[in-house]
Amino acid sequence: YYLEDKELNISSYKNQDGGYGILPYAGSDLKLTALITPLIKEKADANSLKMYFYNEILADSNVKAPALYALAVLGEPVLLDLQKAVKVQNLSLEDYIFLALACDAIGDLSTANQIYSGIISPQLERKDPYIRVKAEGKNIDEIYSLTALAAVLASRIDSQNAPKFYHYVENNYSKTCYVGVEKILYLAKIAYRDQYDEQTIKKWLRV
């Protein structure tokens, strides 16, 4: 069958607070908005995005790793905030992955690799041809979602194991977790490295 390529109208997913929802008229989702920031930053209202993420950070004293990542992608001066956040103990695995992605975004590859090898890697299980997040204390949807996010990080730091994360995501599924953005980010990095064009990626993903 034939699938027609269509331009996505991202404005229909945007809310008044500057964040984006998974569907038109859905409430803003911090993780989703952070993940799509690299993809929409040239077309979206950057100031509105920045305000959304700063408001999220200021809402309470908790570490908002997705917001720090997105602000790093947008070129905001978050180095000191990142250095402070990385020192916080007992963050979630998702937060650590976002912090590593943020470090990569500002060019601090050393810290990104340290977080990956020191904190994230011990929480992985390896069974060829896959690598996924360990199941301890997590349901299958959490494992799937975190593995997809880890695939993005692994591709960004040029880990030789990056394809193993992605193959797990490609060959498994979740009825509740949408990881299409993570797939795009992973493939965009591979495309940049291997010189595939944007249209090829879109055809792979049918987006």
Side-chain angles (χ1 to χ4, degrees), residues 154-175:
S155 72
R156 293 301 310 175
I157 63 174
D158 291 323
S159 169
Q160 63 181 3
N161 289 321
K164 294 184 178 182
F165 291 98
Y166 186 75
H167 291 332
Y168 176 82
V169 175
E170 275 290 274
N171 290 285
N172 291 273
Y173 72 96
S174 167
K175 293 182 178 180

Side-chain angles (χ1 to χ4, degrees), residues 115-134:
I115 295 172
Y116 177 80
S117 61
I119 300 175
I120 298 167
S121 185
Q123 299 189 58
L124 304 175
E125 57 185 14
R126 297 156 177 83
K127 187 175 182 180
D128 283 338
Y130 305 134
I131 295 178
R132 72 171 192 175
V133 170
K134 285 182 180 178

Side-chain angles (χ1 to χ4, degrees), residues 191 195-202 204:
Q195 300 302 304
Y196 290 108
D197 59 38
E198 182 180 358
Q199 291 305 314
T200 299
I201 297 174
K202 286 183 177 180
W204 287 343

Side-chain angles (χ1 to χ4, degrees), residues 45-163:
D45 180 351
N47 289 329
S48 178
L49 271 176
K50 291 175 185 178
M51 187 61 66
Y52 169 73
F53 293 122
Y54 278 122
N55 284 338
E56 285 289 329
I57 289 173
L58 294 172
D60 55 56
S61 60
N62 295 327
V63 172
K64 300 295 178 60
L68 288 173
Y69 161 66
L71 288 170
V73 169
L74 291 167
E76 290 295 283
V78 294
L79 175 59
L80 295 179
D81 295 295
L82 269 177
Q83 290 175 337
K84 183 178 179 181
V86 168
K87 294 177 181 178
V88 176
Q89 300 293 314
N90 300 319
L91 295 176
S92 69
L93 180 59
E94 180 176 285
D95 281 337
Y96 283 121
I97 296 174
F98 270 114
L99 290 178
L101 285 168
C103 290
D104 170 74
I106 66 170
D108 186 357
L109 300 181
S110 176
T111 301
N113 276 287
Q114 286 175 18
I115 295 172
Y116 177 80
S117 61
I119 300 175
I120 298 167
S121 185
Q123 299 189 58
L124 304 175
E125 57 185 14
R126 297 156 177 83
K127 187 175 182 180
D128 283 338
Y130 305 134
I131 295 178
R132 72 171 192 175
V133 170
K134 285 182 180 178
E136 298 170 2
K138 303 178 183 68
N139 62 46
I140 193 64
D141 291 326
E142 291 173 322
I143 293 168
Y144 186 73
S145 177
L146 287 168
T147 301
L149 190 60
V152 178
L153 174 59
S155 72
R156 293 301 310 175
I157 63 174
D158 291 323
S159 169
Q160 63 181 3
N161 289 321

Side-chain angles (χ1 to χ4, degrees), residues 39 148 151-152 155-156 162-163 166-167 170 179-198 200-207:
L39 305 173
V152 178
S155 72
R156 293 301 310 175
Y166 186 75
H167 291 332
E170 275 290 274
V179 297
V181 180
E182 289 93 330
K183 288 182 178 182
I184 292 173
L185 292 173
Y186 174 89
L187 292 172
K189 171 61 175 175
I190 301 304
Y192 176 80
R193 187 192 68 193
D194 297 340
Q195 300 302 304
Y196 290 108
D197 59 38
E198 182 180 358
T200 299
I201 297 174
K202 286 183 177 180
K203 287 179 179 177
W204 287 343
L205 294 169
R206 292 297 187 185
V207 298

